Amino acid sequence: MTLTDLNFDERINNIIGNITSSGRLPHALILEGETEKALRLAVFLSAFAVCGSAHKPCGECKSCINAFNKAHADISYVYPDSSRKSKTLSIEQIRELSRDAYTKPNDADAKVYIFENADSVFSEVVQNAFLKLLEEPPQNVYFILLCQSSQGLLPTILSRCSVVLLGGNSEIGDEAKSAAEQIILGILSNTEYDLLKALRILSDKELASEALSRVRQILFDGVSVLSGTKARYSPELAKKLSARFTRKKLLDMIELTDDSNIKIKQNININLLATQLCGEYRRISWQR
């Protein structure tokens, strides 16, 4: 497999060409954009890191084959501990990862750690614990963080990573953007009816998915403002969100939004979902 096989546009190909031109990767990379595209690129870059060929990744050696099959002993996909109810990584996982990072690779000359949905699985506490490893990375150890919005990560994390903007599959339409803004205003409103009225858009499943994707982006804008970075999608609403809610509340709302977006694509009663979503947004808003 070559970079051409990934079917990225010319801009992304040029970026990756610049990243790999030295023969090695930056020690920490953030791939921001549509999840499937980011994961395909992460797999490609992990193969690049462990391949022993002069022309990396060759796609033919044992290391490349295992990397592309997600079966390489020196490439780890880091997920939240399934034994815990939390959907975020734990401090103990980061400590264990740090110990593992300083041990020698098994088969290759490098180690790679890939974090899917980094903007969701990294709590602020865990990011601060992970920061030390980023500040003093072991030699030939690489970290690849996948996220839909890097602004959900702390500025201290961002400053130590190279960010690659991949973009999404498609643009969110104006109608969905408007609907999302109404939902955010409903979340900010003291009147539950305003939020429930805004959530009526969920009756149109296709439009609802786009609208909730935009809601997620705006909520992340609020997190960004609290983290000291600029809002990307709606600075005005982000300012209001950051003034009203804590970072934890906004991250909880993002997780709720993601779960609801998944349910929309399933056979679920939309009116019931809207009512539940309204209740959960309100619960998060008012909890201490």
Side-chain angles (χ1 to χ4, degrees):
M1 179 179 287
T2 67
L3 188 58
T4 304
D5 296 326
L6 294 172
N7 295 319
F8 289 120
D9 59 37
E10 184 177 357
R11 181 182 68 85
I12 300 299
N13 287 340
N14 289 337
I15 291 174
I16 301 306
N18 291 333
I19 289 175
T20 59
S21 61
S22 65
R24 57 182 298 154
L25 303 176
H27 83 277
L29 271 170
I30 292 176
L31 306 182
E32 177 181 347
E34 188 269 319
T35 303
E36 183 181 355
K37 182 187 295 185
L39 182 57
R40 284 190 290 118
L41 181 54
V43 171
F44 176 86
L45 293 175
S46 68
F48 180 94
V50 298
C51 180
S53 172
H55 302 286
K56 304 191 293 185
C58 68
E60 299 177 354
C61 69
K62 181 179 178 180
S63 282
C64 280
I65 293 172
N66 286 339
F68 287 126
N69 288 324
K70 298 183 182 180
H72 198 288
D74 297 313
I75 301 174
S76 300
Y77 290 81
V78 186
Y79 301 103
D81 188 346
S82 58
S83 65
R84 298 169 64 244
K85 291 183 178 180
S86 175
K87 295 183 180 180
T88 60
L89 298 171
S90 67
I91 294 291
E92 182 53 41
Q93 283 184 279
I94 297 301
R95 291 172 180 165
E96 184 178 341
L97 187 151
S98 297
R99 291 190 290 268
D100 183 73
Y102 280 95
T103 62
K104 291 183 178 180
N106 295 285
D107 300 326
D109 293 327
K111 281 189 171 185
V112 184
Y113 297 90
I114 298 173
F115 303 83
E116 294 184 48
N117 304 311
D119 45 357
S120 298
V121 301
F122 275 112
S123 66
E124 185 170 348
V125 173
V126 170
Q127 286 186 66
N128 284 323
F130 183 54
L131 183 60
K132 184 176 182 181
L133 189 57
L134 286 183
E135 290 174 332
E136 302 173 4
Q139 187 175 7
N140 294 330
V141 173
Y142 305 99
F143 305 100
I144 303 178
L145 284 65
L146 282 58
C147 59
Q148 293 191 32
S149 174
S150 62
Q151 292 191 33
L153 301 173
L154 294 176
T156 47
I157 296 290
L158 294 174
S159 65
R160 288 164 176 80
C161 299
S162 298
V163 181
V164 179
L165 302 176
L166 300 178
N169 282 330
S170 61
E171 288 293 322
I172 294 177
D174 291 338
E175 188 177 358
K177 291 178 183 177
S178 177
E181 290 175 0
Q182 290 303 310
I183 292 173
I184 294 294
L185 290 172
I187 292 172
L188 288 164
S189 174
N190 291 321
T191 304
E192 184 172 330
Y193 174 75
D194 292 336
L195 177 55
L196 191 56
K197 181 180 178 181
L199 288 170
R200 288 178 180 173
I201 189 65
L202 299 184
S203 60
D204 183 334
K205 286 189 176 183
E206 184 174 347
L207 183 59
S209 183
E210 284 191 49
L212 287 185
S213 295
R214 178 58 111 189
V215 167
R216 186 186 203 278
Q217 293 172 341
I218 298 174
L219 289 171
F220 260 126
D221 268 354
V223 174
S224 299
V225 172
L226 287 173
S227 301
T229 56
K230 292 183 179 180
R232 178 177 302 179
Y233 301 101
S234 181
E236 182 179 349
L237 289 177
K239 184 177 180 180
K240 291 180 179 179
L241 288 168
S242 63
R244 176 76 177 274
F245 304 118
T246 64
R247 187 175 191 276
K248 182 182 184 306
K249 287 185 177 182
L250 291 174
L251 289 175
D252 285 346
M253 289 183 189
I254 290 168
E255 182 176 329
L256 171 63
T257 304
D258 287 343
D259 289 344
S260 299
N261 213 342
I262 292 172
K263 291 178 180 177
I264 284 175
K265 299 172 184 177
Q266 302 170 347
N267 294 324
I268 188 171
N269 185 300
I270 296 299
N271 291 329
L272 178 59
L273 176 62
T275 302
Q276 292 176 340
L277 188 54
C278 178
E280 285 300 295
Y281 277 137
R282 301 302 288 182
R283 180 188 63 78
I284 294 171
S285 298
W286 294 108
Q287 70 183 2
R288 294 185 177 182

